[in-house]
Amino acid sequence: MTIHGLIYPTLLPQNWPFSLEWLPQPAYMVGGAVRDALLSRTREYLDLDFIIPSDAVQVAQSIAHHYHVGFVLLDPQRQIARVVFPQATADFAQQEGGSLEADLHRRDFTINAIAYDPHTQQIIDPLQGQIDLEQGILKMVSPVNLKDDPLRLMRAYRQAAQLGFTIEPTTQATINTLASHITQVAPERVRVEINYLLTNSQGTFWLIKAAENNLLAPFFKNATPTSWKKLAQVDTVAALIAQNWFPLHLELQQCIRETVKTTWLAIAKLACLVHPQPQQAKKELKALTYSDAEVKAVTTALKLLPKLKSAHMSVREQYFFFQAAGNVFAATVILALVDNILLSAIPEEQWLRAYTPLISRYLNPNDLVAHPTKLVSGEDLIMALDIPPSPKLGELLREIAVAQAEGTISTLEEAIALAQQLLLD
């Protein structure tokens, strides 16, 4: 099969970050890059995989040296290395088995066992993965391959979500049979797959399917049937938020930090699956090697959730709530709406109205309850009242901020007068 560049641009060597002349003959592109090209899926950041019959690491080193880019030896035993370009990575692996076909037979799913020869522009597809691509089916190469690397059991669900595919029945039955082997996988590898499903629009369905097949029980030991119902409800509530408060919807799609790709919506979903007590939840998340930022986001949401669910807070209570919540507010609102809608007979429209005042405050950058501005500094109080620095100073500043939020003071002079009165009381 000849490949036409207009249809499959990723496969064209002129679109790679290095020249074809650096690849020996034979050499083959394999895996996700070939699969996605055949599906006409494009990416800004290329992720290329090549298999080479011999000297794969040396080929990678030569390319990295020539282009003055990064080189990483991923697996010295299996001879796998990575070359890191500004807008792409290229992995080079030694061919396993005595032939290309033997190598492809060791892969996870037929759609990932398709090779492309850039020298001849030919597709090599011994397992008929292209047929499965056309039918939107995820089919295992063999049960042994799944058992040899049990993470592939979770990857089946991730790739089904990623591609919008279904899992072929025999493959699904094999995953069920092999589910207990997932405990052999390092927790951080499982977390990567879970996080993908938490952030993917179709991920919730497949997370619930993975739970039904006992793949997640070892990692979310405190999850109950209600936990999974809450998880399913999150997407419904998120859709309601998108309809009613689009700026909050946009915030839920943002990553919690530049260096942490978990979104605020994913934080809400994750909070549904762990123990409702923050300290217990923290232990679970640490065991799955979640980052400090992710752990803090989930545990803060769980800690603040009971207060928010009441939906009845004085202005003073709201001020302290917003101070404690910060950016976690969006995830906490999702959880509160999920609990109240799922666990009560009150219509969802009524709950949406109940939270409108708090959400409106949060979305208004000029709201002094959710986003206070300083009327006075600690230095101002020290000079005006002739007092030394002490914990009392922090208390005075806090009470001034609350009074400002409540609307009882609005000027520097009123703030100093309030502080003076508080010292006398």
Side-chain angles (χ1 to χ4, degrees), residues 41-64:
R41 292 167 61 94
T42 58
R43 299 182 186 180
E44 288 186 17
Y45 190 93
L46 291 179
D47 187 2
L48 308 175
D49 291 277
F50 298 90
I51 57 173
I52 299 173
S54 62
D55 301 324
V57 172
Q58 290 87 337
V59 169
Q61 283 177 323
S62 298
I63 292 173

Side-chain angles (χ1 to χ4, degrees), residues 63-115:
I63 292 173
H65 178 74
H66 177 79
Y67 288 93
H68 305 288
V69 292
F71 170 84
V72 183
L73 182 60
L74 296 176
D75 188 333
Q77 289 187 327
R78 295 170 59 203
Q79 290 288 283
I80 303 174
R82 173 170 296 167
V83 181
V84 184
F85 296 90
Q87 295 300 322
T89 59
D91 287 359
F92 299 84
Q94 197 98 332
Q95 178 179 288
E96 294 190 39
S99 65
L100 170 65
E101 187 164 330
D103 186 289
L104 295 176
H105 273 83
R106 296 186 181 198
R107 295 181 177 268
D108 50 6
F109 307 106
T110 59
I111 62 171
N112 298 325
I114 305 170

Side-chain angles (χ1 to χ4, degrees), residues 354-368:
Y355 286 102
T356 295
L358 287 174
I359 294 173
S360 297
R361 282 195 185 282
Y362 180 74
L363 294 177
N364 180 4
N366 298 316
D367 187 277
L368 294 176

Side-chain angles (χ1 to χ4, degrees), residues 373-402:
T373 57
K374 280 189 176 181
L375 271 180
V376 64
S377 68
E379 273 190 25
D380 291 332
L381 293 183
I382 290 171
M383 293 180 63
L385 304 176
D386 193 23
I387 58 174
S390 70
K392 184 66 176 178
L393 188 61
E395 294 176 21
L396 294 174
L397 290 170
R398 188 162 53 248
E399 290 302 321
I400 288 169
V402 171

Side-chain angles (χ1 to χ4, degrees), residues 17-191:
F18 64 93
S19 173
L20 176 61
E21 68 186 27
W22 288 96
L23 283 184
Q25 295 195 48
Y28 308 94
M29 183 188 287
V30 293
V34 177
R35 176 199 69 214
D36 289 350
L38 294 175
L39 288 171
S40 299
R41 292 167 61 94
T42 58
R43 299 182 186 180
E44 288 186 17
Y45 190 93
L46 291 179
D47 187 2
L48 308 175
D49 291 277
F50 298 90
I51 57 173
I52 299 173
S54 62
D55 301 324
V57 172
Q58 290 87 337
V59 169
Q61 283 177 323
S62 298
I63 292 173
H65 178 74
H66 177 79
Y67 288 93
H68 305 288
V69 292
F71 170 84
V72 183
L73 182 60
L74 296 176
D75 188 333
Q77 289 187 327
R78 295 170 59 203
Q79 290 288 283
I80 303 174
R82 173 170 296 167
V83 181
V84 184
F85 296 90
Q87 295 300 322
T89 59
D91 287 359
F92 299 84
Q94 197 98 332
Q95 178 179 288
E96 294 190 39
S99 65
L100 170 65
E101 187 164 330
D103 186 289
L104 295 176
H105 273 83
R106 296 186 181 198
R107 295 181 177 268
D108 50 6
F109 307 106
T110 59
I111 62 171
N112 298 325
I114 305 170
Y116 167 65
D117 185 337
H119 294 290
T120 64
Q121 292 192 319
Q122 295 294 309
I123 288 287
I124 301 97
D125 184 16
L127 292 157
Q128 297 185 310
Q130 290 177 95
I131 294 175
D132 294 331
L133 281 177
E134 292 169 4
Q135 296 180 350
I137 292 173
L138 200 69
K139 183 189 297 181
M140 65 182 174
V141 172
S142 78
V144 172
N145 292 5
L146 298 186
K147 186 177 180 180
D148 285 346
D149 183 2
L151 184 65
R152 289 170 169 176
L153 305 174
M154 278 298 300
R155 280 184 180 159
Y157 297 106
R158 190 252 288 174
Q159 292 198 13
Q162 177 184 351
L163 301 172
F165 279 20
T166 58
I167 298 177
E168 178 262 342
T170 302
T171 301
Q172 180 65 76
T174 302
I175 292 171
N176 296 351
T177 302
L178 297 175
S180 62
H181 293 270
I182 196 67
T183 56
Q184 300 171 15
V185 181
E188 57 267 26
R189 297 180 73 206
V190 176
R191 171 182 52 76

Side-chain angles (χ1 to χ4, degrees), residues 264-305:
W264 289 110
L265 185 60
I267 289 295
K269 291 181 177 182
L270 190 55
C272 293
L273 306 181
V274 295
H275 197 286
Q277 293 299 320
Q279 286 305 312
Q280 291 295 322
K282 181 178 181 179
K283 291 178 183 178
E284 290 181 68
L285 296 170
K286 284 293 187 182
L288 270 169
T289 71
Y290 276 95
S291 69
D292 289 343
E294 291 163 313
V295 172
K296 183 178 180 182
V298 171
T299 54
T300 299
L302 292 173
K303 182 179 178 181
L304 295 174
L305 180 58

Side-chain angles (χ1 to χ4, degrees), residues 300-342:
T300 299
L302 292 173
K303 182 179 178 181
L304 295 174
L305 180 58
K307 189 70 176 177
L308 186 56
K309 280 173 62 177
S310 69
H312 298 293
M313 288 188 278
S314 66
V315 171
R316 181 184 183 87
E317 289 173 322
Q318 290 178 40
Y319 170 83
F320 287 115
F321 175 84
F322 282 117
Q323 288 294 294
N327 290 337
V328 183
F329 175 81
T332 312
V333 163
I334 285 271
L335 293 173
L337 285 167
V338 164
D339 275 6
N340 286 329
I341 291 171
L342 192 64

